[in-house]
């Protein structure tokens, strides 16, 4: 298991499942670029990650920007929002009366996606919380900025396996310092690192042909 100082960023799991090369460029080679999607996502997370915003609404304690980690997974990061619901069964919380169940909520721009990248990141957060708080967390929610609605996510064994398998591979790639070659697809158009990754160079034409075309366009 990696030492705590070597834990991977929890937020990188979504990058990895979206594109392994994108994750490596960001988290191994420390490269980054902003686009509209990343800017919108950052603005959406600013309030969610404000650690000063914790409040009690009836029987629901809302905590923002909660820091979590997992020795088993070798990962650490922050949860956007964690709700603690006061119930008859649950765990005790320091300075709070009663017992509480745990419900993580992750904020995302756009709308629900067909893949499970967002759900896997939320599940990883839940698995960290389970390890830290010694409790079971069966479900959480994704809140999408475009629809302004929550989508419930069940943390079933299939989703948990996606998380553990991905993080095992991520830790190995990080240890090796390995950046995969580009696998082009329609997802490349949505990537903020498109101009750094240059997926167009992975096509059949040579680098020389690409440079000549770029020079002609600038004439």
């Amino acid at each position: 298991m990696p030492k705590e100082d070597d834990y991977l960023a929890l937020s990188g799991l979504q990058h990895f499942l979206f594109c392994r090369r994108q994750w490596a460029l960001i988290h191994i080679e420390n490269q980054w670029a902003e686009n509209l999607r990343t800017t919108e996502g950052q603005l959406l997370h600013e309030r969610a990650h404000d650690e000063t915003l914790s409040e009690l609404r009836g029987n629901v304690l809302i905590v923002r920007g909660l820091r979590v980690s997992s020795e088993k997974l070798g990962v650490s990061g922050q949860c956007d929002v964690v709700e603690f619901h006061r119930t008859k069964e649950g765990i005790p919380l320091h300075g709070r009366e009663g017992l509480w169940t745990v419900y993580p909520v992750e904020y995302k721009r756009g709308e629900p996606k067909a893949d499970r990248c967002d759900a896997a990141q939320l599940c990883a957060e839940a698995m960290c919380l389970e390890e830290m708080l010694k409790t079971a967390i069966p479900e959480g929610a994704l809140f999408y900025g475009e629809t302004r609605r929550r989508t419930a996510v069940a943390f079933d064994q299939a989703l948990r396996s996606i998380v553990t398998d991905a993080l095992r591979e991520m830790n190995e790639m990080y240890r090796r310092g390995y950046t995969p070659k580009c696998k082009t697809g329609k997802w490349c158009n949505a990537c903020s690192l498109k101009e750094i990754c240059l997926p167009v160079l992975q096509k059949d034409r040579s680098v020389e042909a690409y440079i000549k075309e770029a020079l002609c366009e600038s004439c």
Side-chain angles (χ1 to χ4, degrees):
M1 294 182 182
K3 297 180 180 179
E4 188 170 355
D5 290 344
D6 297 325
Y7 284 179
L8 299 178
L10 193 154
S11 59
L13 178 61
Q14 184 191 25
H15 296 145
F16 185 83
L17 293 174
F18 174 76
C19 173
R20 283 160 168 74
R21 179 172 172 81
Q22 184 201 63
W23 171 80
L25 288 172
I26 295 171
H27 297 274
I28 295 178
E29 298 189 13
N30 296 314
Q31 301 196 54
W32 182 247
E34 296 285 356
N35 66 7
L36 178 61
R37 290 180 174 84
T38 61
T39 301
E40 289 178 343
Q42 183 177 359
L43 291 172
L44 184 63
H45 280 77
E46 280 183 356
R47 184 175 185 275
H49 274 179
D50 187 343
E51 297 178 48
T52 65
L53 295 178
S54 298
E55 57 183 311
L56 182 64
R57 298 180 183 175
N59 288 320
V60 180
L61 174 65
I62 301 170
V63 179
R64 305 179 190 276
L66 181 63
R67 296 183 182 277
V68 296
S69 63
S70 167
E71 181 180 1
K72 293 179 181 177
L73 298 175
V75 69
S76 63
Q78 277 184 292
C79 299
D80 285 346
V81 171
V82 179
E83 295 179 353
F84 294 90
H85 296 247
R86 183 155 41 198
T87 58
K88 294 181 179 179
E89 297 181 357
I91 58 172
L93 294 179
H94 179 71
R96 302 283 178 177
E97 295 182 358
L99 299 176
W100 307 77
T101 57
V102 188
Y103 195 86
V105 182
E106 178 71 13
Y107 282 62
K108 296 294 182 184
R109 64 167 299 281
E111 57 186 3
K113 304 176 181 65
D115 60 50
R116 306 200 76 184
C117 295
D118 293 346
Q121 182 183 342
L122 179 66
C123 183
E125 294 174 7
M127 292 168 73
C128 289
L129 287 164
E130 287 179 330
E131 186 175 328
M132 294 171 62
L133 301 174
K134 310 301 182 186
T135 188
I137 304 175
E139 183 180 290
L142 293 164
F143 177 88
Y144 286 95
E146 190 167 316
T147 62
R148 307 297 296 177
R149 291 183 179 180
R150 287 186 176 188
T151 299
V153 177
F155 304 134
D156 55 30
Q157 189 54 52
L159 186 56
R160 291 172 183 267
S161 294
I162 291 174
V163 171
T164 54
D165 291 347
L167 284 169
R168 188 181 303 113
E169 187 177 351
M170 289 165 64
N171 274 290
E172 176 61 21
M173 287 173 60
Y174 189 82
R175 184 188 65 79
R176 293 167 54 201
Y178 173 69
T179 299
K181 293 182 178 180
C182 179
K183 292 184 178 180
T184 58
K186 60 182 181 179
W187 56 85
C188 292
N189 293 326
C191 180
S192 63
L193 299 186
K194 184 178 180 181
E195 299 305 317
I196 296 174
C197 176
L198 294 175
V200 68
L201 295 183
Q202 305 297 321
K203 295 184 178 180
D204 293 336
R205 58 180 173 164
S206 66
V207 174
E208 181 181 2
Y210 173 79
I211 293 174
K212 285 182 178 179
E213 180 179 321
L215 290 174
C216 289
E217 288 179 352
S218 64
C219 294

